[in-house]
Amino acid sequence: MKTALGLAGVCWYGLTGLFLAQFASLPLNAETISLKRAVQLALAHSPMAREAGADEQRAFASYREARNQYLPQLMVGAGLGDSWGYPLSLEGSAPSLFNVTAQSALFNPALRDFTKAAQMEYRAVENGSKDRREQVTQDTVLTYLELAKWERQIGELREQRESAERMEGIVKQRVQAGVDSEQIGRQAELASARAYLRITQAEGAIDELRRILSQLTGVPVSSLGTDPESVPEMPAFQKPADEDASASETNPAVLFAQQHATAATFRARGEHRSLWPTVDFATQYAVLAKFNNWTQFFQSKNFERNNATVGVVIRFPFLNFSQKAHAEAADAEAIHAKQEVEATKNQVSQQTMKLQRTVEQLQAAQKVSELEYEIAQSDSEAVRIRMNSGTATIVEGAQAESQLSQTYDALQDANYALLRARIGLMRAEGTLQSWVDQGK
C-alpha cells in the first residue's frame, strides 16, 4: 500500500504546478513589452503603416495642387535674342531683358468641383489609411495574445511531459514485473509521446510568433517577452440592435467607399462644367531691349522700354466633343462608385453579423470547455482520493491526469478562439484601437 501511495504521489506531482509556470519559456534578459507598446512600435515600424502615411501625403498634395490654382502663379525670366526685321515673340512674349508674368483662376466652376473632389479623396484616403493601420493593429494584437497564450502554457506542458515520462517509467517496471499488461505499457508510452508532441508544438509556435512579433515591432527576437497583465479587460459582448447602421457608421472601409463616391460625383460634375465659361486673372511686365529693332518700326519718341499689362482672360468653350465624351465617362465612374458603396455596406454588414454569430457560438463552446475542465478536476480529485484509500489503480490515476491535461489545453484553445473572434469583431466595428489604448 505504501508503494502504491508513493507511486500515486509521483504520478500526481505534475499537477501541483498548475497555472504557476507562466513564463518558463522566456529568454534570459527578455525585454517585456506591453500590448499597447507593441502596437505603437508596429504602427511606427510597419511598411504598411508607412505606405498609408505616404498615400495620405500624396492625396493632400493633390488637394493643395487644385486649391492653389486660385493663387497667382508668378514667373520671372527673360527673353533674350537678336531680331531680323520685326521683333517676333519668343514663346508668346516679346523679346525682353527682363519679364514677370502672373496668372490665377478667378471664375472656374470646373476647378471648384475638382478641388472639392480632391478634398473628399483626401478624406477617403485617410479612412483607407485608418483601415490599413487597424489591420496592422489586429495582426500585432493577435500575434501578441497568441504568444502570451503559449508562454502561459509552456510551463504546464513541461510539467505534464515530466509526469508522463515518470509514469511511463513506472508502468514499464510494472510490466516487467508482470503486474500490468503490455497494452497498458503502450498506453503509457503513447501518453508520453503526446506530451512531447505538445511541447514541440508549443516551442515551435513560440519561436515563430516571437519572430513575427519582432518583425512587426522591430524588437530583437532574443530580447522579446510579453506582459499578459498589460492586456485590457475585454468589454462585455452586446449584440447591437441595428447591425447595419452600426457597421456603416464606424467601419473605415464603408467611410472610404462613401467619400470616394462623393469625390467621383464632384469630378463628374467638374468635367461637365469644363464646358462652361472661365475667367482668369493675368498680368505681365517686361523691360524691352533697344537692339531688337523696336525703333525701326516705332517712332523713337513713342518707344517705351518698361511695359506692363493687367487684365482678365475670358474663355467661352464652343465645341469640344472630346470633353463631352470624357464627362460622360466620368458619370459612369460616379455611378460605379455609388454601387461600390452599397456593395461595401452589404459586405461589412454580412461580415459583422457573421462575427457576431461566431462570438456567440464560441462563447457557448468556451462555457462547455470550462465545464469539462471543472468536471475533469472533480474526477481527478476523486481518483486521487480513491488512490489514497487503495481502491483505484495507478493506471486510473494516469488516465485521469491525462484527461485533465487535455481538457485544460482545450479550455486554453477555446479562450483564445473566443478572444480572436472578439478582436475581429472590434475591428469591424471600429473600436479595436480604443480598446488597445485602454491597456497599460
Side-chain angles (χ1 to χ4, degrees), residues 217-234:
T217 61
V219 179
V221 178
S222 59
S223 60
L224 184 61
T226 61
D227 179 14
E229 297 297 330
S230 68
V231 180
E233 183 179 355
M234 189 64 62

Side-chain angles (χ1 to χ4, degrees), residues 15-322:
L15 294 178
T16 59
L18 190 62
F19 304 120
L20 299 179
Q22 294 186 354
F23 304 105
S25 66
L26 288 178
L28 295 177
N29 300 323
E31 178 185 353
T32 300
I33 61 174
S34 64
L35 174 62
K36 183 177 180 180
R37 179 57 178 165
V39 171
Q40 291 173 346
L41 291 173
L43 291 175
H45 183 265
S46 171
M48 184 182 296
R50 290 199 294 267
E51 288 175 4
D55 290 342
E56 288 186 34
Q57 183 179 358
R58 175 187 54 80
F60 185 64
S62 298
Y63 163 64
R64 289 190 294 109
E65 178 184 4
R67 183 194 61 185
N68 289 345
Q69 292 189 47
Y70 288 99
L71 301 177
Q73 301 175 23
L74 186 65
M75 182 174 293
V76 178
L80 300 176
D82 202 358
S83 299
W84 291 266
Y86 186 83
L88 303 176
S89 65
L90 297 174
E91 294 187 349
S93 300
S96 58
L97 297 176
F98 174 78
N99 62 65
V100 178
T101 59
Q103 186 175 358
S104 63
L106 288 180
F107 176 77
N108 193 325
L111 178 60
R112 184 166 60 248
D113 285 335
F114 289 148
T115 303
K116 293 179 179 179
Q119 185 179 21
M120 294 305 300
E121 199 67 53
Y122 170 60
R123 294 177 181 175
V125 171
E126 280 186 319
N127 282 290
S129 299
K130 180 181 178 182
D131 187 57
R132 283 191 284 181
R133 283 192 291 267
E134 287 191 352
Q135 179 64 56
V136 174
T137 300
Q138 182 180 13
D139 293 343
T140 305
V141 169
L142 291 177
T143 303
Y144 187 97
L145 294 179
E146 187 175 4
L147 177 58
K149 162 186 168 291
W150 284 114
E151 289 180 345
R152 183 170 58 249
Q153 284 187 258
I154 190 66
E156 171 60 24
L157 292 176
R158 287 171 177 168
E159 292 283 349
Q160 293 175 9
R161 179 188 176 187
E162 293 175 1
S163 178
E165 289 177 346
R166 285 193 296 268
M167 177 59 64
E168 181 184 0
I170 294 170
V171 171
K172 282 183 179 179
Q173 293 177 4
R174 293 171 62 87
V175 170
Q176 292 174 358
V179 178
D180 293 329
S181 64
E182 292 288 342
Q183 181 67 18
I184 294 178
R186 285 192 292 271
Q187 290 178 354
E189 186 178 355
L190 176 60
S192 179
R194 285 175 175 170
Y196 177 72
L197 174 61
R198 289 195 294 270
I199 282 289
T200 56
Q201 290 174 339
E203 291 177 346
I206 288 174
D207 291 341
E208 180 180 359
L209 291 169
R210 276 185 183 150
R211 186 168 298 278
I212 295 174
L213 190 60
S214 174
Q215 293 173 351
L216 287 170
T217 61
V219 179
V221 178
S222 59
S223 60
L224 184 61
T226 61
D227 179 14
E229 297 297 330
S230 68
V231 180
E233 183 179 355
M234 189 64 62
F237 171 69
Q238 294 181 351
K239 183 179 177 181
D242 189 349
E243 297 168 356
D244 295 342
S246 176
S248 301
E249 291 174 0
T250 59
N251 190 274
V254 175
L255 296 176
F256 171 82
Q258 290 175 337
Q259 291 166 345
H260 178 70
T262 303
T265 302
F266 278 123
R267 276 195 296 269
R269 193 171 71 175
E271 296 295 348
H272 282 284
R273 290 184 173 182
S274 295
L275 300 173
W276 289 21
T278 61
V279 178
D280 293 341
F281 166 77
T283 183
Q284 182 176 4
Y285 168 76
V287 178
L288 303 180
K290 294 181 178 180
F291 53 78
N292 285 112
N293 301 335
W294 294 108
T295 56
Q296 297 180 15
F297 295 91
F298 299 95
Q299 297 181 5
S300 298
K301 63 180 180 179
N302 295 330
F303 175 68
E304 178 62 48
R305 298 188 63 193
N306 296 283
N307 301 271
T309 301
V310 179
V312 294
V313 179
I314 304 175
R315 298 182 180 89
F316 293 90
F318 183 61
L319 289 177
N320 193 337
F321 296 107
S322 176

